[in-house]
Amino acid sequence: MVLEVVATSNELWAEMDAVLVKIFAVALTFSQLSTEPEPRTSFDPTADQQRVIALLRAGCERMKRAFDVEAVNIDDLIATAMDDPEAASGGYVAFRGIKISDLHVAYRQFCKNETIDKSVVNTQEVIEFYNRTLADLPDHARLKGGRLPGASEVLDLKGARFGEVHERDQRRVWVSLAEIPTHVQQAFIAAEDKRFYEHKGIDERALVRSFIGNLTQAGRPQGGSTITQQVVKNLLVGDELSYERKMREMVLASRLERTLSKAEILELYLNSIFLGRASSGVEMAARSYFGKSARDLTLSEGALLAGITKGPNYYSPIRNVDRARERFRYVLGRMQEDSAITAEQNKQAVAAFPDIVPDDQIERAPGSYFADYVARELTATSSLSDFRVGSYRIQSTLQPDLQQATELALQEGLANYEKNAGRVEFRGPELNLSAAIARATAEPDSSANPTWLRALKSARLPRDVQWKAAVVIEKGGTRRNEAIRVGLADGRTLPLSGTAAILRGLKLHDVVWVYVADGKGKTARAELRVRPVVQGAAVVIENKTGRILAMAGGFSYSGSQLNRVTQSYRQPGSSLKPLTYLAALQKGLQPNTLVRDQDITLPPIQASKRSEDYWSPKNYDSSSGGVITLRSALENSRNLATVNLLDGGIASTAPASLDQVCALAVELKIYKECGRYYPFVLGAQPVRPIDLAQFYATIANEGMRPSPHTIEAMEQNGNVVYRHSPALEQISGADRASFYQLKTILQGVVQRGTAHRISALAPYVAGKTGTTDDENDTWFVGFSNDVTVAVWVGYDNADGRRRTLGSGQTGASVALPIFEPIMQAVWSYHAPRALLAPPSPEARGLLVSAGEDGGRRGDQAEYLRRDAKGKAVDARYALISRRDGGEGTASNRSRRQYPSEPAEVGVLPERSPWGWEGWGPRQRDTGRWNDWRDRAYDGPDRAYEGRDRMYDGRARPYDGRARAYEGRDTNRDDGPRYSPSDRRSPSFFPFQPF
């Protein structure tokens, strides 16, 4: 028993005296468990020494009887060990360094009761180590009636299973003992604990067998642990290889036997044991290996699983078939010895070695970003806290066809961007199948499939990449355009087209991604696709319910588990501008209100003496549009007009206007807290795509905010235990009329503004483009009556540097082409295309459709807020005089400028941690917005070319233009976060959006 522990100890080279202390502490633990009903967990190091010696001697007598039962002469064994310690150790490193002579002396002292002149055991040290080890044992009683964390299967809206969610190393489905066939239970007992129904937690005879096996035979060490000990190890004390763990395990196993019945212990064991293939418990293992429930396992299948238990990797029936077969026959033989089966049943079972089903890698199935978010929602949502333990069937909100279309649109969009921008970086094929094809050629196969097809079908490739995998089967050829042919998983062979330099580098049997183009009247061709470096995100939310219908958090989940829809914070640029216009509309301005698109200088929010602390934003082309309507300003994303709204358009002062915009942003839950500095209105503060999508869905709903979610219902054993209650929250900061007016302006963005490239969709969708400074982030967020789609494209900047998408790359040119096919898929798979809805009765009661006095824009009716008499409120000149008015005037009249010096002369403000030199309050969380560099605002604005950007120019000292600070974006590709609300240390950057 003692040397069995040594065989599994990880303290191989400890000083001998220290090892002996631990060995005899383990012996003391065993002695108590084998001779007393309730072992003590502490002794007095001085007063209890004789008591401890008596216990050690009693335990030795018990062990000697066990040796006698096993027909082993322990004296002969000790004598053999004394003569040849190396032979006795069986070559195990674990036995090296142990003085067999010391063990022999101790054996004579405690087992043969001989008088020893100089004992090798310091009883006081043994007691002290024993007391330390058994202090603060975990509560074993919590396992009574408890259920273990399990895996829940996730279903899509069609009821098909597409994924699983579970805690790490907890992929299991709990089943009761009654659901597990008797022959399966017997197989595990025969393999792991023959005397399970006889012992009380510790089996000294099993310890003797393992002692002899470890001492005399080389190979894998034998443990001798009972099923009860394995339950304690798996669920209470861990699997550390140490004397301490073994002692705690033995004591807790004894206590567990007095608390739980044998049936309860076996049920815990069969549901907790790890069986390989990411499966814990027999139910999940049965599904993973055989594609069936545990209740349907045959004798052969049960024996194979029981054999795997000893070492799931070592005895893997996939990687080590011969070892698995040997262990399989051993288990069946033990079952026959125990009279659990007959010789004939043994013979039949041996002849029926089970077939293993292919590993479906369900965790990498399409929708993995979605499944990952389901798990986070389950953890983070308080109403779901009762369902974090156990196995459930989760009805999700995923629309599978739309999910695949969203993934394909994003993947195609990212690849097309790199192709058009000349940024394709081919880093080699996905894999090469030459070895697999050679193996397939040598293996007999009854099918008529070529070997390349069999190898391709068994290749492990990401399942969420919607391109097709293709293997190079021919190189060369008589026709130039058919120099390379590839084979697809559906058996077709097609010519491959692509960049000549990449094609030349491909080798026979390389696997690449392709897009199959089936031209009208032309031969189908496989177009080479290359994994992009640039990343993106897309999410589809149902407006009225908040159901997340599709989510793509990046190019592929297998390449990066960072979900950029819910975990990345990126600057929204002009896609946030509608927030400011909503606040202005709520204050009584109208879409036809005239606003100055002219230079403006805003003073710092905090007093400052420096002229460069004043903010003078610019349009992209440094021009001013004169006086334009509110509608035109947002449709064409004019920076100056947007900032001019802060000066009297929302509140009497710019800081007060900013405060109202920020308050509205927080109520809309775009942000948890708002940065109080002027560039906020141009989209400086980073945001998550899912939060921006929620904002636009609220616009589509006329101010009714949905709560995005992925879990619709949960059931267990056929009973519904949870159902989501959809609830829309009415925004109090703006009424339905303001939201509807904003909605019509965003429809104009599509019809004739920065998103006019999809103007054909203007009757059905509305939205806004966005591009940040230096083209680092591009956006388009749009909505129909039924759904909102948010698309972001940019680089992860994991190296700490911001990488630009390149000059001229905008939301209209990069993100918008991804949005369009997603919306087309929405109309195909989820809701039919319909004209954008007119105002609701509530909004209609506050609005009036303008007449022939300029109230229509193209085919779009203009709705203006009405007065008490039902007439349209004339707010055209609310911000300017009639003398200065006139839409589209080229007036050079300068906008009112603030003094070049601060009001409080002599007040020297402290440097603001915002990096905006007194434009905002002192930042409390200095870890979020640091590392800024001086930059300035300048640059022209190209609104009518469909571009929507945030630009910065070069600093011009003392010209009244504020210097801002630019830093790193700390969105790093470092795996999934633990909560959907986890932030990624965003940073602000200066820009001029449009």
Side-chain angles (χ1 to χ4, degrees), residues 458-512:
S458 63
R460 298 173 66 92
L461 293 165
R463 304 268 180 112
D464 61 349
V465 176
Q466 298 303 320
W467 298 326
K468 295 185 182 300
V471 56
V472 176
I473 58 175
E474 292 180 17
K475 286 205 67 176
T478 58
R479 295 171 57 184
R480 181 178 178 183
N481 62 348
E482 294 189 0
I484 294 181
R485 293 190 69 84
V486 293
L488 307 181
D490 59 9
R492 286 186 294 171
T493 64
L494 300 174
L496 178 65
S497 64
T499 305
I502 298 177
L503 297 182
R504 284 195 300 269
L506 293 179
K507 299 178 180 178
L508 198 63
H509 302 151
D510 278 347
V511 175
V512 294

Side-chain angles (χ1 to χ4, degrees), residues 9 43 47-48 94 134 189 202 259 395 410 437 552 573 602 641 645 677 726 818 983:
S9 173
F43 293 91
D48 289 335
L134 296 184
I189 291 173
I202 306 297
T259 305
Q395 178 62 62
L410 181 63
I437 291 174
L602 295 180
L645 287 176
Y677 64 112
I818 298 173
R983 292 180 178 266

Side-chain angles (χ1 to χ4, degrees), residues 130-382:
Y130 179 90
N131 292 346
R132 289 195 304 270
T133 301
L134 296 184
D136 300 322
L137 291 173
D139 182 14
H140 65 285
R142 65 185 175 90
L143 297 181
K144 180 73 173 179
R147 297 290 292 271
L148 303 177
S152 296
E153 63 177 355
V154 184
L155 309 181
D156 59 32
L157 283 177
K158 292 184 176 181
R161 179 174 180 265
F162 80 90
E164 297 173 349
V165 295
H166 54 84
E167 296 179 15
R168 183 177 180 181
D169 299 329
Q170 301 292 334
R171 185 174 178 258
R172 70 166 55 80
V173 174
W174 183 278
V175 288
S176 66
L177 189 64
E179 296 177 85
I180 302 174
T182 301
H183 58 259
V184 176
Q185 300 178 36
Q186 292 172 332
F188 279 89
I189 291 173
E192 293 296 309
D193 191 357
K194 178 180 180 179
R195 288 173 17 93
F196 172 69
Y197 288 106
E198 302 172 29
H199 63 68
K200 297 181 179 180
I202 306 297
D203 186 358
E204 58 265 28
R205 290 172 58 180
L207 291 174
V208 168
R209 289 194 298 271
S210 66
F211 171 83
I212 297 170
N214 289 332
L215 204 60
T216 60
Q217 299 175 10
R220 290 174 57 83
Q222 301 179 32
S225 294
T226 64
I227 283 177
T228 311
Q229 286 177 270
Q230 293 184 56
V231 169
V232 169
K233 179 185 70 174
N234 294 336
L235 304 180
L236 294 177
V237 300
D239 57 0
E240 177 189 9
L241 296 176
S242 67
Y243 294 99
E244 291 89 335
R245 189 268 294 173
K246 198 68 176 180
M247 291 168 60
R248 294 162 69 86
E249 174 190 295
M250 293 165 69
V251 172
L252 289 170
S254 176
R255 292 180 177 180
L256 194 64
E257 286 276 349
R258 297 194 296 274
T259 305
L260 274 65
S261 67
K262 288 289 187 180
E264 290 173 318
I265 293 173
L266 185 58
E267 184 176 270
L268 272 174
Y269 173 76
L270 292 175
N271 280 284
S272 64
I273 191 68
F274 178 70
L275 292 166
R277 236 180 191 190
S279 303
S280 294
V282 294
E283 176 65 22
M284 185 58 75
R287 297 181 185 185
S288 297
Y289 285 99
F290 310 119
K292 61 175 63 175
S293 172
R295 67 172 62 91
D296 300 320
L297 289 174
T298 65
L299 172 60
S300 296
E301 292 164 343
L304 180 61
L305 291 182
I308 293 173
T309 306
K310 187 180 176 85
N313 291 323
Y314 190 81
Y315 293 107
S316 168
I318 301 170
R319 291 184 294 272
N320 300 303
V321 179
D322 292 339
R323 292 176 189 165
R325 286 182 180 274
E326 181 182 354
R327 182 70 178 167
F328 167 72
R329 290 191 292 267
Y330 165 80
V331 172
L332 291 170
R334 289 289 296 267
M335 293 182 71
Q336 182 180 340
E337 291 177 11
D338 297 341
S339 300
I341 59 174
T342 64
E344 181 60 27
Q345 288 175 313
N346 185 358
K347 181 180 179 181
Q348 293 176 359
V350 168
F353 188 79
D355 294 325
I356 308 300
V357 299
D359 187 355
D360 61 355
Q361 287 294 298
I362 192 67
E363 69 274 10
R364 295 188 180 182
S368 291
Y369 283 114
F370 189 96
D372 183 68
Y373 188 74
V374 169
R376 296 174 191 278
E377 184 175 323
L378 193 62
T379 302
T381 306
S382 58

